[in-house]
Amino acid sequence: MFEAKNISFSYPDGTMVFRNLNFKVNEGEVISIVGPSGAGKSTLLNCISTKLQLSEGSLYLNEVKVLGPEEKLMKSHYDISIIDQSFEHDEFFTIRENINGELLHLTKSDREQFLNQLLDVFQLQKLADVKSGKLSGGEKQRLSMACALAKEPSLLLLDEPFVHLDVHLNWSIGKYIRDLAKLRSMKVILVTHQGEDALSWSDRIWFFKSGELKSKYTPEQAYFKPKSLYEGMFFGELNSVYFENKQKLFRPVDYKLNYEKGLSKIEVKFQSSDFRGHYYANFFKLSNNKSIVLYSQYILSNLKQIYV
């Protein structure tokens, strides 16, 4: 288990980034921390990875206290790997050499097997003998992820890991890391401002704003039952309507065309439709001139009312 107890961080000028955070991450669990840019998410990961020294509080990994950079010589922890935008690897070594350098804890046969697996998952086979200094941004990020996993860390930290990845790689790498976490009881913390990525990745989702963990959700709760319009919008398009001065939030798929007990009627006027591959996003105006969007497999140009 990884545990944070009453942790706080502030800069030397006194600017507080986060205060008195408490949380736990269990074996094999993937936690996503979602929130706006500038909320302190990356700073939190840098403290957990021991790149930065906490102002207060303690971290524990497998019941052993994690020492900060002011308490030891190295600004790293052998059992914690972080993947961020720094792409830390030796630019004069090839991809193969960089990954191999993180596999020295394995036997030669296991090392070769794991190396080939990582090259395959991150689609680096054809670049295996290219020096990393000649790679593109996306290729460097994939190499950094492969090196981080090669260490077989107890705790893996991911800071906006999909910035340079293609959509198909996003899905396949995400699935691989989730499966590896379960297989090896690896704890994973992902931070992102793209909440939709977190929905498919996570066992639990925490919403982080202004240095505080505002809400904790399951992926289903984050999507269908957000605590506010602001938080809900991080996980996809969300509609807001009012009945008797009470706000009702609903996703573009969460509506009915026919009345059912307990539902409320909304008059709608069709405006336009966007084709998005396997569905259409249909945009409507309400009587108060506010807009909503409804998803469907076809254009809803003749729709006059819905029930939510």
Side-chain angles (χ1 to χ4, degrees):
M1 177 185 292
F2 172 77
E3 186 172 9
K5 293 186 176 181
N6 297 313
I7 62 172
S8 302
F9 178 81
S10 60
Y11 289 109
D13 64 1
T15 302
M16 182 64 66
V17 180
F18 56 83
R19 184 196 300 275
N20 297 333
L21 298 184
N22 291 275
F23 57 87
K24 297 178 181 179
V25 184
N26 299 315
E27 306 294 316
E29 188 173 35
V30 179
I31 298 292
S32 289
I33 300 177
V34 177
S37 299
K41 303 185 303 296
S42 295
T43 301
L44 175 59
L45 280 200
N46 284 330
C47 288
I48 294 173
S49 69
T50 73
K51 287 185 177 183
L52 294 175
Q53 179 69 42
L54 288 170
S55 304
E56 297 177 7
S58 301
L59 303 171
Y60 295 89
L61 182 58
N62 302 327
E63 300 183 350
V64 177
K65 185 176 181 181
V66 176
L67 300 179
E70 295 178 6
E71 303 169 277
K72 58 181 182 176
L73 293 176
M74 299 292 291
K75 288 188 176 183
S76 62
H77 189 288
Y78 74 96
D79 220 8
I80 301 174
S81 288
I82 183 169
I83 300 169
D84 54 21
Q85 308 308 310
S86 61
F87 305 141
E88 293 179 0
H89 45 254
D90 194 318
E91 294 194 349
F92 297 100
F93 283 9
T94 65
I95 286 178
R96 188 188 308 276
E97 291 168 338
N98 271 289
I99 298 174
N100 254 327
E102 306 296 348
L103 294 170
L104 301 179
H105 59 288
L106 299 177
T107 64
K108 185 175 181 180
S109 59
D110 288 344
R111 193 183 312 161
E112 189 67 22
Q113 182 180 0
F114 198 12
L115 169 64
N116 289 329
Q117 184 181 89
L118 290 170
L119 289 173
D120 181 59
V121 167
F122 291 96
Q123 296 189 10
L124 294 170
Q125 309 97 320
K126 295 180 180 180
L127 300 169
D129 296 311
V130 175
K131 290 185 177 181
S132 61
K134 297 183 178 180
L135 302 177
S136 68
E139 291 162 351
K140 287 180 179 179
Q141 184 161 28
R142 280 146 53 197
L143 172 59
S144 294
M145 296 176 82
C147 287
L149 291 176
K151 296 177 183 179
E152 296 189 285
S154 178
L155 176 63
L156 178 66
L157 308 174
L158 303 163
D159 189 356
E160 302 286 1
F162 308 117
V163 173
H164 299 284
L165 298 183
D166 297 333
V167 173
H168 69 287
L169 278 173
N170 179 331
W171 182 87
S172 62
I173 291 173
K175 184 178 186 305
Y176 178 74
I177 292 177
R178 289 197 308 276
D179 291 346
L180 202 62
K182 299 296 185 283
L183 179 66
R184 300 187 178 177
S185 297
M186 180 173 64
K187 297 159 283 291
V188 181
I189 302 176
L190 159 73
V191 304
T192 180
H193 64 276
Q194 299 289 345
E196 289 178 277
D197 291 333
L199 292 174
S200 59
W201 265 77
S202 314
D203 296 300
R204 291 187 287 158
I205 296 173
W206 300 336
F207 192 84
F208 192 71
K209 183 185 178 186
S210 302
E212 296 181 21
L213 292 174
K214 298 286 189 180
S215 304
K216 295 185 178 182
Y217 299 108
T218 65
E220 292 80 8
Q221 288 169 339
Y223 189 75
F224 288 110
K225 296 182 179 179
K227 294 182 180 179
S228 69
L229 178 63
Y230 179 79
E231 291 186 9
M233 289 292 288
F234 278 84
F235 303 98
E237 288 177 299
L238 182 63
N239 297 310
S240 171
V241 296
Y242 284 83
F243 298 107
E244 298 178 353
N245 295 320
K246 294 185 68 174
Q247 186 183 43
K248 168 75 173 179
L249 302 176
F250 68 98
R251 295 293 176 184
V253 296
D254 195 17
Y255 67 95
K256 300 289 185 182
L257 297 180
N258 298 303
Y259 176 75
E260 293 181 10
K261 186 177 180 180
L263 298 184
S264 299
K265 178 180 175 181
I266 302 176
E267 302 286 346
V268 296
K269 182 179 180 181
F270 180 78
Q271 298 292 302
S272 62
S273 182
D274 290 346
F275 177 63
R276 297 185 180 178
H278 62 284
Y279 69 94
Y280 288 89
N282 296 277
F283 296 90
F284 295 86
K285 284 285 188 181
L286 306 182
S287 58
N288 61 2
N289 210 36
K290 299 292 185 181
S291 298
I292 63 169
V293 57
L294 305 176
Y295 297 164
S296 175
Q297 292 184 326
Y298 45 88
I299 297 174
L300 300 174
S301 57
N302 295 321
L303 190 64
K304 303 298 182 183
Q305 60 194 31
I306 61 169
Y307 300 88
V308 298

